[in-house]
Amino acid sequence: MAKSGRTSLNRDIDFLRNRIGVPMIHVETLGAGGGSIGHVNNFGMLEVGPQSAGATPGPASYGKGGELPTVTDANLVLGYLEPDAVLGGCVTLDKDKALQAVQKHIADPLKIDLAHAAFGISAIVNQNMANGIRRITIEKGYDPRDFALICAGGAGGMHIVDLAEEMGIGTILIPKIASCLCAFGQIISDIKYNYLATQMMIIAPDSELQSLNATLHELESLGVQKLLEDGFAEDDIIIERTMEMRYVGQVHECNVLIPNGKLDVDSVQTILEAFHHRHKELYTYDERDNKVELVNIEVAVIGKISKPKLPELAKQQGDVSQAQVGSREMIMDQEYEWIDTPIYNGEEFGAGAIVAWPALIQEPTTTIVIKKGWQAELHETGTYKLTKAA
């Protein structure tokens, strides 16, 4: 998650009962992939994951020996995936095997319709993902409704609208390259070195700042020297500084962005105000009469790399219906009604193309399901923007 252009970091990583103090990008992992297996547990309830069919043998519909129903199989039963579609040039989806797996392992044991069973798998995996979003937003003091939801992964576009609905998010961004978004991000990412030091002291207008300024300068110098050795020019180097602070007597710290340059009385006032504000965001209150304690200081030294100029899509010419390549019956919600849904070839869209519910957009490496009340508009950068239809 990113707020105001800043990536969220996690400083509370535990490994084998040991706390790792090194800040890491906050990634919430959960078993919610296309290979996640749907099963009926010992209490007679439907669950999805964390067991996975993986790539081998994979979902039942892969025809590679897998017999258990997965999220991919459910999406195929619901009509979101094209029967007999070839994935990656080597796997052909077998809808009959998906139907048999969902029927045998979910519908029959629960004594429910096949469509209900498939939709149940999809709904539960969506809840698993929504819970992950809650853990990095609501539980961290952020309102998810203030953010746009970005879709990564080839299968994400079939679930993303349900996630946005669940979290109250009104804007979804789905790049055409969603299936390789991580690799693309790696290519264009800046180089960053993080330096962390413990500095226990009370932060107040009358605090002695000489030692703190010296430590900050030392950490910054280390990072700048490293980037200069990497070949960056001084003009391409940016420094960001943060402090982990808490009220005296507390256990957990708040991370606060602080000004660059030599700290003085005015800087301290700015830092304290930022801390009180952040504490209130996280915990709904502040204690302005309590003393504030500094625990750790962190310096991020960033080397900016040149970003490639991406090609811009030509404007949409004519009606979007020209891109329709067929239609297929799909189940979109808990009404369990089969809706004849137009299918569009996304490669034939131009910038400004708008498609409203019901619709399915096929891209070479991703599939986007437009559900009730939503529409998709293609931006010139090759990113679909999904919003509530007017």
Side-chain angles (χ1 to χ4, degrees), residues 80 330 332 339-344 349 355-362 368-372 374 376:
Y80 304 158
M330 306 176 193
M332 295 288 193
I339 299 174
D340 189 37
T341 303
I343 301 172
Y344 297 91
F349 287 151
V355 177
W357 174 87
L360 182 142
I361 302 172
Q362 292 180 337
I368 304 170
V369 177
I370 312 300
K371 294 199 171 184
K372 188 174 183 178
W374 289 78

mmCIF file with all atom_site columns, all heavy atoms in Angstrom, residues 80 330 332 339-344 349 355-362 368-372 374 376:
data_model
loop_
_atom_site.group_PDB
_atom_site.id
_atom_site.type_symbol
_atom_site.label_atom_id
_atom_site.label_alt_id
_atom_site.label_comp_id
_atom_site.label_asym_id
_atom_site.label_entity_id
_atom_site.label_seq_id
_atom_site.pdbx_PDB_ins_code
_atom_site.Cartn_x
_atom_site.Cartn_y
_atom_site.Cartn_z
_atom_site.occupancy
_atom_site.B_iso_or_equiv
_atom_site.pdbx_formal_charge
_atom_site.auth_seq_id
_atom_site.auth_comp_id
_atom_site.auth_asym_id
_atom_site.auth_atom_id
_atom_site.pdbx_PDB_model_num
ATOM 1   N N   . TYR A 1 80  ? -16.376 -16.837 -16.470 1.00 0.00 ? 80  TYR A N   1
ATOM 2   C CA  . TYR A 1 80  ? -15.415 -15.742 -16.619 1.00 0.00 ? 80  TYR A CA  1
ATOM 3   C C   . TYR A 1 80  ? -14.263 -16.102 -17.549 1.00 0.00 ? 80  TYR A C   1
ATOM 4   O O   . TYR A 1 80  ? -13.693 -15.230 -18.203 1.00 0.00 ? 80  TYR A O   1
ATOM 5   C CB  . TYR A 1 80  ? -14.838 -15.337 -15.256 1.00 0.00 ? 80  TYR A CB  1
ATOM 6   C CG  . TYR A 1 80  ? -15.862 -14.951 -14.218 1.00 0.00 ? 80  TYR A CG  1
ATOM 7   C CD1 . TYR A 1 80  ? -15.578 -15.000 -12.861 1.00 0.00 ? 80  TYR A CD1 1
ATOM 8   C CD2 . TYR A 1 80  ? -17.154 -14.538 -14.592 1.00 0.00 ? 80  TYR A CD2 1
ATOM 9   C CE1 . TYR A 1 80  ? -16.509 -14.647 -11.901 1.00 0.00 ? 80  TYR A CE1 1
ATOM 10  C CE2 . TYR A 1 80  ? -18.101 -14.204 -13.640 1.00 0.00 ? 80  TYR A CE2 1
ATOM 11  C CZ  . TYR A 1 80  ? -17.774 -14.265 -12.295 1.00 0.00 ? 80  TYR A CZ  1
ATOM 12  O OH  . TYR A 1 80  ? -18.706 -13.927 -11.344 1.00 0.00 ? 80  TYR A OH  1
ATOM 13  N N   . MET A 1 330 ? -22.793 -15.720 -17.864 1.00 0.00 ? 330 MET A N   1
ATOM 14  C CA  . MET A 1 330 ? -21.989 -15.648 -16.649 1.00 0.00 ? 330 MET A CA  1
ATOM 15  C C   . MET A 1 330 ? -22.874 -15.361 -15.458 1.00 0.00 ? 330 MET A C   1
ATOM 16  O O   . MET A 1 330 ? -23.947 -14.763 -15.592 1.00 0.00 ? 330 MET A O   1
ATOM 17  C CB  . MET A 1 330 ? -20.930 -14.544 -16.760 1.00 0.00 ? 330 MET A CB  1
ATOM 18  C CG  . MET A 1 330 ? -20.051 -14.638 -17.977 1.00 0.00 ? 330 MET A CG  1
ATOM 19  S SD  . MET A 1 330 ? -18.891 -13.244 -18.098 1.00 0.00 ? 330 MET A SD  1
ATOM 20  C CE  . MET A 1 330 ? -18.324 -13.464 -19.799 1.00 0.00 ? 330 MET A CE  1
ATOM 21  N N   . MET A 1 332 ? -22.942 -13.179 -12.152 1.00 0.00 ? 332 MET A N   1
ATOM 22  C CA  . MET A 1 332 ? -22.244 -11.993 -11.670 1.00 0.00 ? 332 MET A CA  1
ATOM 23  C C   . MET A 1 332 ? -22.438 -11.729 -10.173 1.00 0.00 ? 332 MET A C   1
ATOM 24  O O   . MET A 1 332 ? -21.628 -11.034 -9.564  1.00 0.00 ? 332 MET A O   1
ATOM 25  C CB  . MET A 1 332 ? -22.713 -10.766 -12.453 1.00 0.00 ? 332 MET A CB  1
ATOM 26  C CG  . MET A 1 332 ? -22.347 -10.790 -13.927 1.00 0.00 ? 332 MET A CG  1
ATOM 27  S SD  . MET A 1 332 ? -20.594 -10.515 -14.148 1.00 0.00 ? 332 MET A SD  1
ATOM 28  C CE  . MET A 1 332 ? -20.506 -10.212 -15.910 1.00 0.00 ? 332 MET A CE  1
ATOM 29  N N   . ILE A 1 339 ? -26.340 -14.426 -17.001 1.00 0.00 ? 339 ILE A N   1
ATOM 30  C CA  . ILE A 1 339 ? -26.497 -13.205 -17.798 1.00 0.00 ? 339 ILE A CA  1
ATOM 31  C C   . ILE A 1 339 ? -25.665 -13.330 -19.065 1.00 0.00 ? 339 ILE A C   1
ATOM 32  O O   . ILE A 1 339 ? -24.460 -13.617 -19.008 1.00 0.00 ? 339 ILE A O   1
ATOM 33  C CB  . ILE A 1 339 ? -26.051 -11.972 -16.988 1.00 0.00 ? 339 ILE A CB  1
ATOM 34  C CG1 . ILE A 1 339 ? -26.914 -11.824 -15.728 1.00 0.00 ? 339 ILE A CG1 1
ATOM 35  C CG2 . ILE A 1 339 ? -26.117 -10.708 -17.840 1.00 0.00 ? 339 ILE A CG2 1
ATOM 36  C CD1 . ILE A 1 339 ? -26.442 -10.720 -14.804 1.00 0.00 ? 339 ILE A CD1 1
ATOM 37  N N   . ASP A 1 340 ? -26.300 -13.111 -20.197 1.00 0.00 ? 340 ASP A N   1
ATOM 38  C CA  . ASP A 1 340 ? -25.570 -13.134 -21.465 1.00 0.00 ? 340 ASP A CA  1
ATOM 39  C C   . ASP A 1 340 ? -24.684 -11.888 -21.517 1.00 0.00 ? 340 ASP A C   1
ATOM 40  O O   . ASP A 1 340 ? -25.167 -10.764 -21.608 1.00 0.00 ? 340 ASP A O   1
ATOM 41  C CB  . ASP A 1 340 ? -26.553 -13.154 -22.636 1.00 0.00 ? 340 ASP A CB  1
ATOM 42  C CG  . ASP A 1 340 ? -25.848 -13.396 -23.959 1.00 0.00 ? 340 ASP A CG  1
ATOM 43  O OD1 . ASP A 1 340 ? -24.884 -14.180 -23.982 1.00 0.00 ? 340 ASP A OD1 1
ATOM 44  O OD2 . ASP A 1 340 ? -26.248 -12.783 -24.973 1.00 0.00 ? 340 ASP A OD2 1
ATOM 45  N N   . THR A 1 341 ? -23.390 -12.088 -21.451 1.00 0.00 ? 341 THR A N   1
ATOM 46  C CA  . THR A 1 341 ? -22.438 -10.997 -21.263 1.00 0.00 ? 341 THR A CA  1
ATOM 47  C C   . THR A 1 341 ? -21.568 -10.802 -22.507 1.00 0.00 ? 341 THR A C   1
ATOM 48  O O   . THR A 1 341 ? -20.914 -11.748 -22.963 1.00 0.00 ? 341 THR A O   1
ATOM 49  C CB  . THR A 1 341 ? -21.527 -11.285 -20.059 1.00 0.00 ? 341 THR A CB  1
ATOM 50  O OG1 . THR A 1 341 ? -22.349 -11.496 -18.893 1.00 0.00 ? 341 THR A OG1 1
ATOM 51  C CG2 . THR A 1 341 ? -20.571 -10.133 -19.806 1.00 0.00 ? 341 THR A CG2 1
ATOM 52  N N   . PRO A 1 342 ? -21.536 -9.594  -23.062 1.00 0.00 ? 342 PRO A N   1
ATOM 53  C CA  . PRO A 1 342 ? -20.657 -9.317  -24.210 1.00 0.00 ? 342 PRO A CA  1
ATOM 54  C C   . PRO A 1 342 ? -19.187 -9.480  -23.827 1.00 0.00 ? 342 PRO A C   1
ATOM 55  O O   . PRO A 1 342 ? -18.776 -9.119  -22.722 1.00 0.00 ? 342 PRO A O   1
ATOM 56  C CB  . PRO A 1 342 ? -20.982 -7.861  -24.564 1.00 0.00 ? 342 PRO A CB  1
ATOM 57  C CG  . PRO A 1 342 ? -22.306 -7.593  -23.933 1.00 0.00 ? 342 PRO A CG  1
ATOM 58  C CD  . PRO A 1 342 ? -22.355 -8.438  -22.696 1.00 0.00 ? 342 PRO A CD  1
ATOM 59  N N   . ILE A 1 343 ? -18.413 -10.007 -24.753 1.00 0.00 ? 343 ILE A N   1
ATOM 60  C CA  . ILE A 1 343 ? -16.975 -10.201 -24.553 1.00 0.00 ? 343 ILE A CA  1
ATOM 61  C C   . ILE A 1 343 ? -16.234 -9.326  -25.553 1.00 0.00 ? 343 ILE A C   1
ATOM 62  O O   . ILE A 1 343 ? -16.527 -9.352  -26.753 1.00 0.00 ? 343 ILE A O   1
ATOM 63  C CB  . ILE A 1 343 ? -16.581 -11.674 -24.740 1.00 0.00 ? 343 ILE A CB  1
ATOM 64  C CG1 . ILE A 1 343 ? -17.355 -12.552 -23.742 1.00 0.00 ? 343 ILE A CG1 1
ATOM 65  C CG2 . ILE A 1 343 ? -15.075 -11.866 -24.560 1.00 0.00 ? 343 ILE A CG2 1
ATOM 66  C CD1 . ILE A 1 343 ? -17.178 -14.031 -23.986 1.00 0.00 ? 343 ILE A CD1 1
ATOM 67  N N   . TYR A 1 344 ? -15.270 -8.545  -25.047 1.00 0.00 ? 344 TYR A N   1
ATOM 68  C CA  . TYR A 1 344 ? -14.536 -7.597  -25.892 1.00 0.00 ? 344 TYR A CA  1
ATOM 69  C C   . TYR A 1 344 ? -13.057 -7.960  -25.946 1.00 0.00 ? 344 TYR A C   1
ATOM 70  O O   . TYR A 1 344 ? -12.479 -8.432  -24.962 1.00 0.00 ? 344 TYR A O   1
ATOM 71  C CB  . TYR A 1 344 ? -14.680 -6.178  -25.346 1.00 0.00 ? 344 TYR A CB  1
ATOM 72  C CG  . TYR A 1 344 ? -16.103 -5.662  -25.339 1.00 0.00 ? 344 TYR A CG  1
ATOM 73  C CD1 . TYR A 1 344 ? -16.911 -5.844  -24.213 1.00 0.00 ? 344 TYR A CD1 1
ATOM 74  C CD2 . TYR A 1 344 ? -16.627 -4.992  -26.438 1.00 0.00 ? 344 TYR A CD2 1
ATOM 75  C CE1 . TYR A 1 344 ? -18.214 -5.370  -24.195 1.00 0.00 ? 344 TYR A CE1 1
ATOM 76  C CE2 . TYR A 1 344 ? -17.932 -4.524  -26.426 1.00 0.00 ? 344 TYR A CE2 1
ATOM 77  C CZ  . TYR A 1 344 ? -18.721 -4.713  -25.309 1.00 0.00 ? 344 TYR A CZ  1
ATOM 78  O OH  . TYR A 1 344 ? -20.016 -4.254  -25.297 1.00 0.00 ? 344 TYR A OH  1
ATOM 79  N N   . PHE A 1 349 ? -9.305  -1.817  -28.436 1.00 0.00 ? 349 PHE A N   1
ATOM 80  C CA  . PHE A 1 349 ? -9.747  -0.557  -27.837 1.00 0.00 ? 349 PHE A CA  1
ATOM 81  C C   . PHE A 1 349 ? -8.694  0.523   -28.042 1.00 0.00 ? 349 PHE A C   1
ATOM 82  O O   . PHE A 1 349 ? -7.495  0.259   -28.046 1.00 0.00 ? 349 PHE A O   1
ATOM 83  C CB  . PHE A 1 349 ? -9.991  -0.713  -26.335 1.00 0.00 ? 349 PHE A CB  1
ATOM 84  C CG  . PHE A 1 349 ? -11.230 -1.488  -25.978 1.00 0.00 ? 349 PHE A CG  1
ATOM 85  C CD1 . PHE A 1 349 ? -11.295 -2.212  -24.802 1.00 0.00 ? 349 PHE A CD1 1
ATOM 86  C CD2 . PHE A 1 349 ? -12.338 -1.475  -26.807 1.00 0.00 ? 349 PHE A CD2 1
ATOM 87  C CE1 . PHE A 1 349 ? -12.432 -2.914  -24.454 1.00 0.00 ? 349 PHE A CE1 1
ATOM 88  C CE2 . PHE A 1 349 ? -13.493 -2.179  -26.480 1.00 0.00 ? 349 PHE A CE2 1
ATOM 89  C CZ  . PHE A 1 349 ? -13.524 -2.903  -25.295 1.00 0.00 ? 349 PHE A CZ  1
ATOM 90  N N   . VAL A 1 355 ? -16.576 0.914   -21.481 1.00 0.00 ? 355 VAL A N   1
ATOM 91  C CA  . VAL A 1 355 ? -17.408 -0.285  -21.507 1.00 0.00 ? 355 VAL A CA  1
ATOM 92  C C   . VAL A 1 355 ? -18.121 -0.386  -20.166 1.00 0.00 ? 355 VAL A C   1
ATOM 93  O O   . VAL A 1 355 ? -17.486 -0.305  -19.109 1.00 0.00 ? 355 VAL A O   1
ATOM 94  C CB  . VAL A 1 355 ? -16.566 -1.547  -21.749 1.00 0.00 ? 355 VAL A CB  1
ATOM 95  C CG1 . VAL A 1 355 ? -17.453 -2.785  -21.702 1.00 0.00 ? 355 VAL A CG1 1
ATOM 96  C CG2 . VAL A 1 355 ? -15.843 -1.470  -23.082 1.00 0.00 ? 355 VAL A CG2 1
ATOM 97  N N   . ALA A 1 356 ? -19.433 -0.561  -20.201 1.00 0.00 ? 356 ALA A N   1
ATOM 98  C CA  . ALA A 1 356 ? -20.229 -0.632  -18.979 1.00 0.00 ? 356 ALA A CA  1
ATOM 99  C C   . ALA A 1 356 ? -20.778 -2.047  -18.776 1.00 0.00 ? 356 ALA A C   1
ATOM 100 O O   . ALA A 1 356 ? -20.821 -2.857  -19.701 1.00 0.00 ? 356 ALA A O   1
ATOM 101 C CB  . ALA A 1 356 ? -21.377 0.381   -19.035 1.00 0.00 ? 356 ALA A CB  1
ATOM 102 N N   . TRP A 1 357 ? -21.184 -2.321  -17.554 1.00 0.00 ? 357 TRP A N   1
ATOM 103 C CA  . TRP A 1 357 ? -21.776 -3.617  -17.181 1.00 0.00 ? 357 TRP A CA  1
ATOM 104 C C   . TRP A 1 357 ? -22.978 -3.930  -18.057 1.00 0.00 ? 357 TRP A C   1
ATOM 105 O O   . TRP A 1 357 ? -23.726 -3.034  -18.409 1.00 0.00 ? 357 TRP A O   1
ATOM 106 C CB  . TRP A 1 357 ? -22.237 -3.536  -15.727 1.00 0.00 ? 357 TRP A CB  1
ATOM 107 C CG  . TRP A 1 357 ? -22.996 -4.743  -15.256 1.00 0.00 ? 357 TRP A CG  1
ATOM 108 C CD1 . TRP A 1 357 ? -22.463 -5.871  -14.727 1.00 0.00 ? 357 TRP A CD1 1
ATOM 109 C CD2 . TRP A 1 357 ? -24.410 -4.941  -15.273 1.00 0.00 ? 357 TRP A CD2 1
ATOM 110 N NE1 . TRP A 1 357 ? -23.446 -6.764  -14.413 1.00 0.00 ? 357 TRP A NE1 1
ATOM 111 C CE2 . TRP A 1 357 ? -24.663 -6.217  -14.736 1.00 0.00 ? 357 TRP A CE2 1
ATOM 112 C CE3 . TRP A 1 357 ? -25.506 -4.172  -15.690 1.00 0.00 ? 357 TRP A CE3 1
ATOM 113 C CZ2 . TRP A 1 357 ? -25.943 -6.730  -14.605 1.00 0.00 ? 357 TRP A CZ2 1
ATOM 114 C CZ3 . TRP A 1 357 ? -26.783 -4.691  -15.573 1.00 0.00 ? 357 TRP A CZ3 1
ATOM 115 C CH2 . TRP A 1 357 ? -27.002 -5.948  -15.032 1.00 0.00 ? 357 TRP A CH2 1
ATOM 116 N N   . PRO A 1 358 ? -23.202 -5.224  -18.367 1.00 0.00 ? 358 PRO A N   1
ATOM 117 C CA  . PRO A 1 358 ? -22.317 -6.362  -18.110 1.00 0.00 ? 358 PRO A CA  1
ATOM 118 C C   . PRO A 1 358 ? -21.304 -6.488  -19.228 1.00 0.00 ? 358 PRO A C   1
ATOM 119 O O   . PRO A 1 358 ? -21.627 -6.305  -20.395 1.00 0.00 ? 358 PRO A O   1
ATOM 120 C CB  . PRO A 1 358 ? -23.282 -7.545  -18.108 1.00 0.00 ? 358 PRO A CB  1
ATOM 121 C CG  . PRO A 1 358 ? -24.360 -7.142  -19.086 1.00 0.00 ? 358 PRO A CG  1
ATOM 122 C CD  . PRO A 1 358 ? -24.504 -5.643  -18.948 1.00 0.00 ? 358 PRO A CD  1
ATOM 123 N N   . ALA A 1 359 ? -20.087 -6.831  -18.880 1.00 0.00 ? 359 ALA A N   1
ATOM 124 C CA  . ALA A 1 359 ? -19.046 -6.942  -19.905 1.00 0.00 ? 359 ALA A CA  1
ATOM 125 C C   . ALA A 1 359 ? -17.867 -7.741  -19.370 1.00 0.00 ? 359 ALA A C   1
ATOM 126 O O   . ALA A 1 359 ? -17.639 -7.821  -18.149 1.00 0.00 ? 359 ALA A O   1
ATOM 127 C CB  . ALA A 1 359 ? -18.572 -5.559  -20.348 1.00 0.00 ? 359 ALA A CB  1
ATOM 128 N N   . LEU A 1 360 ? -17.129 -8.329  -20.297 1.00 0.00 ? 360 LEU A N   1
ATOM 129 C CA  . LEU A 1 360 ? -15.876 -8.997  -19.985 1.00 0.00 ? 360 LEU A CA  1
ATOM 130 C C   . LEU A 1 360 ? -14.856 -8.568  -21.029 1.00 0.00 ? 360 LEU A C   1
ATOM 131 O O   . LEU A 1 360 ? -15.137 -8.614  -22.230 1.00 0.00 ? 360 LEU A O   1
ATOM 132 C CB  . LEU A 1 360 ? -16.045 -10.514 -19.980 1.00 0.00 ? 360 LEU A CB  1
ATOM 133 C CG  . LEU A 1 360 ? -14.792 -11.325 -19.605 1.00 0.00 ? 360 LEU A CG  1
ATOM 134 C CD1 . LEU A 1 360 ? -15.160 -12.531 -18.745 1.00 0.00 ? 360 LEU A CD1 1
ATOM 135 C CD2 . LEU A 1 360 ? -14.044 -11.785 -20.849 1.00 0.00 ? 360 LEU A CD2 1
ATOM 136 N N   . ILE A 1 361 ? -13.706 -8.096  -20.551 1.00 0.00 ? 361 ILE A N   1
ATOM 137 C CA  . ILE A 1 361 ? -12.644 -7.633  -21.443 1.00 0.00 ? 361 ILE A CA  1
ATOM 138 C C   . ILE A 1 361 ? -11.504 -8.636  -21.405 1.00 0.00 ? 361 ILE A C   1
ATOM 139 O O   . ILE A 1 361 ? -10.980 -8.959  -20.329 1.00 0.00 ? 361 ILE A O   1
ATOM 140 C CB  . ILE A 1 361 ? -12.127 -6.241  -21.028 1.00 0.00 ? 361 ILE A CB  1
ATOM 141 C CG1 . ILE A 1 361 ? -13.277 -5.223  -21.031 1.00 0.00 ? 361 ILE A CG1 1
ATOM 142 C CG2 . ILE A 1 361 ? -11.005 -5.789  -21.954 1.00 0.00 ? 361 ILE A CG2 1
ATOM 143 C CD1 . ILE A 1 361 ? -12.897 -3.883  -20.458 1.00 0.00 ? 361 ILE A CD1 1
ATOM 144 N N   . GLN A 1 362 ? -11.139 -9.135  -22.566 1.00 0.00 ? 362 GLN A N   1
ATOM 145 C CA  . GLN A 1 362 ? -10.035 -10.086 -22.670 1.00 0.00 ? 362 GLN A CA  1
ATOM 146 C C   . GLN A 1 362 ? -8.789  -9.376  -23.179 1.00 0.00 ? 362 GLN A C   1
ATOM 147 O O   . GLN A 1 362 ? -8.806  -8.747  -24.230 1.00 0.00 ? 362 GLN A O   1
ATOM 148 C CB  . GLN A 1 362 ? -10.404 -11.233 -23.618 1.00 0.00 ? 362 GLN A CB  1
ATOM 149 C CG  . GLN A 1 362 ? -11.490 -12.148 -23.085 1.00 0.00 ? 362 GLN A CG  1
ATOM 150 C CD  . GLN A 1 362 ? -11.818 -13.274 -24.050 1.00 0.00 ? 362 GLN A CD  1
ATOM 151 O OE1 . GLN A 1 362 ? -11.576 -13.177 -25.251 1.00 0.00 ? 362 GLN A OE1 1
ATOM 152 N NE2 . GLN A 1 362 ? -12.386 -14.352 -23.528 1.00 0.00 ? 362 GLN A NE2 1
ATOM 153 N N   . ILE A 1 368 ? -10.822 -9.135  -17.446 1.00 0.00 ? 368 ILE A N   1
ATOM 154 C CA  . ILE A 1 368 ? -11.471 -8.160  -16.568 1.00 0.00 ? 368 ILE A CA  1
ATOM 155 C C   . ILE A 1 368 ? -12.978 -8.353  -16.636 1.00 0.00 ? 368 ILE A C   1
ATOM 156 O O   . ILE A 1 368 ? -13.573 -8.303  -17.722 1.00 0.00 ? 368 ILE A O   1
ATOM 157 C CB  . ILE A 1 368 ? -11.113 -6.720  -16.981 1.00 0.00 ? 368 ILE A CB  1
ATOM 158 C CG1 . ILE A 1 368 ? -9.592  -6.540  -16.981 1.00 0.00 ? 368 ILE A CG1 1
ATOM 159 C CG2 . ILE A 1 368 ? -11.780 -5.707  -16.054 1.00 0.00 ? 368 ILE A CG2 1
ATOM 160 C CD1 . ILE A 1 368 ? -9.138  -5.230  -17.601 1.00 0.00 ? 368 ILE A CD1 1
ATOM 161 N N   . VAL A 1 369 ? -13.591 -8.584  -15.484 1.00 0.00 ? 369 VAL A N   1
ATOM 162 C CA  . VAL A 1 369 ? -15.035 -8.740  -15.402 1.00 0.00 ? 369 VAL A CA  1
ATOM 163 C C   . VAL A 1 369 ? -15.635 -7.439  -14.881 1.00 0.00 ? 369 VAL A C   1
ATOM 164 O O   . VAL A 1 369 ? -15.296 -6.977  -13.794 1.00 0.00 ? 369 VAL A O   1
ATOM 165 C CB  . VAL A 1 369 ? -15.424 -9.907  -14.471 1.00 0.00 ? 369 VAL A CB  1
ATOM 166 C CG1 . VAL A 1 369 ? -16.944 -10.010 -14.354 1.00 0.00 ? 369 VAL A CG1 1
ATOM 167 C CG2 . VAL A 1 369 ? -14.849 -11.221 -14.995 1.00 0.00 ? 369 VAL A CG2 1
ATOM 168 N N   . ILE A 1 370 ? -16.516 -6.837  -15.689 1.00 0.00 ? 370 ILE A N   1
ATOM 169 C CA  . ILE A 1 370 ? -17.200 -5.594  -15.295 1.00 0.00 ? 370 ILE A CA  1
ATOM 170 C C   . ILE A 1 370 ? -18.553 -5.970  -14.718 1.00 0.00 ? 370 ILE A C   1
ATOM 171 O O   . ILE A 1 370 ? -19.440 -6.450  -15.432 1.00 0.00 ? 370 ILE A O   1
ATOM 172 C CB  . ILE A 1 370 ? -17.386 -4.638  -16.494 1.00 0.00 ? 370 ILE A CB  1
ATOM 173 C CG1 . ILE A 1 370 ? -16.071 -4.478  -17.270 1.00 0.00 ? 370 ILE A CG1 1
ATOM 174 C CG2 . ILE A 1 370 ? -17.902 -3.293  -16.017 1.00 0.00 ? 370 ILE A CG2 1
ATOM 175 C CD1 . ILE A 1 370 ? -14.942 -3.909  -16.464 1.00 0.00 ? 370 ILE A CD1 1
ATOM 176 N N   . LYS A 1 371 ? -18.711 -5.757  -13.426 1.00 0.00 ? 371 LYS A N   1
ATOM 177 C CA  . LYS A 1 371 ? -19.935 -6.182  -12.748 1.00 0.00 ? 371 LYS A CA  1
ATOM 178 C C   . LYS A 1 371 ? -20.929 -5.034  -12.610 1.00 0.00 ? 371 LYS A C   1
ATOM 179 O O   . LYS A 1 371 ? -20.658 -3.897  -12.980 1.00 0.00 ? 371 LYS A O   1
ATOM 180 C CB  . LYS A 1 371 ? -19.590 -6.795  -11.393 1.00 0.00 ? 371 LYS A CB  1
ATOM 181 C CG  . LYS A 1 371 ? -18.790 -8.097  -11.533 1.00 0.00 ? 371 LYS A CG  1
ATOM 182 C CD  . LYS A 1 371 ? -18.824 -8.937  -10.292 1.00 0.00 ? 371 LYS A CD  1
ATOM 183 C CE  . LYS A 1 371 ? -18.210 -10.311 -10.546 1.00 0.00 ? 371 LYS A CE  1
ATOM 184 N NZ  . LYS A 1 371 ? -18.313 -11.187 -9.366  1.00 0.00 ? 371 LYS A NZ  1
ATOM 185 N N   . LYS A 1 372 ? -22.072 -5.360  -12.060 1.00 0.00 ? 372 LYS A N   1
ATOM 186 C CA  . LYS A 1 372 ? -23.215 -4.447  -12.020 1.00 0.00 ? 372 LYS A CA  1
ATOM 187 C C   . LYS A 1 372 ? -22.850 -3.121  -11.367 1.00 0.00 ? 372 LYS A C   1
ATOM 188 O O   . LYS A 1 372 ? -22.277 -3.069  -10.284 1.00 0.00 ? 372 LYS A O   1
ATOM 189 C CB  . LYS A 1 372 ? -24.380 -5.093  -11.263 1.00 0.00 ? 372 LYS A CB  1
ATOM 190 C CG  . LYS A 1 372 ? -25.671 -4.306  -11.340 1.00 0.00 ? 372 LYS A CG  1
ATOM 191 C CD  . LYS A 1 372 ? -26.819 -5.077  -10.706 1.00 0.00 ? 372 LYS A CD  1
ATOM 192 C CE  . LYS A 1 372 ? -28.133 -4.322  -10.845 1.00 0.00 ? 372 LYS A CE  1
ATOM 193 N NZ  . LYS A 1 372 ? -29.264 -5.084  -10.271 1.00 0.00 ? 372 LYS A NZ  1
ATOM 194 N N   . TRP A 1 374 ? -20.778 -0.830  -12.577 1.00 0.00 ? 374 TRP A N   1
ATOM 195 C CA  . TRP A 1 374 ? -19.426 -0.373  -12.850 1.00 0.00 ? 374 TRP A CA  1
ATOM 196 C C   . TRP A 1 374 ? -19.197 -0.188  -14.343 1.00 0.00 ? 374 TRP A C   1
ATOM 197 O O   . TRP A 1 374 ? -19.916 -0.739  -15.178 1.00 0.00 ? 374 TRP A O   1
ATOM 198 C CB  . TRP A 1 374 ? -18.396 -1.376  -12.305 1.00 0.00 ? 374 TRP A CB  1
ATOM 199 C CG  . TRP A 1 374 ? -18.322 -1.373  -10.819 1.00 0.00 ? 374 TRP A CG  1
ATOM 200 C CD1 . TRP A 1 374 ? -19.194 -1.952  -9.954  1.00 0.00 ? 374 TRP A CD1 1
ATOM 201 C CD2 . TRP A 1 374 ? -17.318 -0.753  -10.012 1.00 0.00 ? 374 TRP A CD2 1
ATOM 202 N NE1 . TRP A 1 374 ? -18.800 -1.746  -8.658  1.00 0.00 ? 374 TRP A NE1 1
ATOM 203 C CE2 . TRP A 1 374 ? -17.647 -1.012  -8.664  1.00 0.00 ? 374 TRP A CE2 1
ATOM 204 C CE3 . TRP A 1 374 ? -16.161 -0.022  -10.287 1.00 0.00 ? 374 TRP A CE3 1
ATOM 205 C CZ2 . TRP A 1 374 ? -16.870 -0.550  -7.598  1.00 0.00 ? 374 TRP A CZ2 1
ATOM 206 C CZ3 . TRP A 1 374 ? -15.386 0.437   -9.237  1.00 0.00 ? 374 TRP A CZ3 1
ATOM 207 C CH2 . TRP A 1 374 ? -15.739 0.177   -7.905  1.00 0.00 ? 374 TRP A CH2 1
ATOM 208 N N   . ALA A 1 376 ? -15.673 0.586   -17.246 1.00 0.00 ? 376 ALA A N   1
ATOM 209 C CA  . ALA A 1 376 ? -14.220 0.662   -17.437 1.00 0.00 ? 376 ALA A CA  1
ATOM 210 C C   . ALA A 1 376 ? -13.908 1.650   -18.540 1.00 0.00 ? 376 ALA A C   1
ATOM 211 O O   . ALA A 1 376 ? -14.537 1.630   -19.599 1.00 0.00 ? 376 ALA A O   1
ATOM 212 C CB  . ALA A 1 376 ? -13.661 -0.710  -17.782 1.00 0.00 ? 376 ALA A CB  1
#
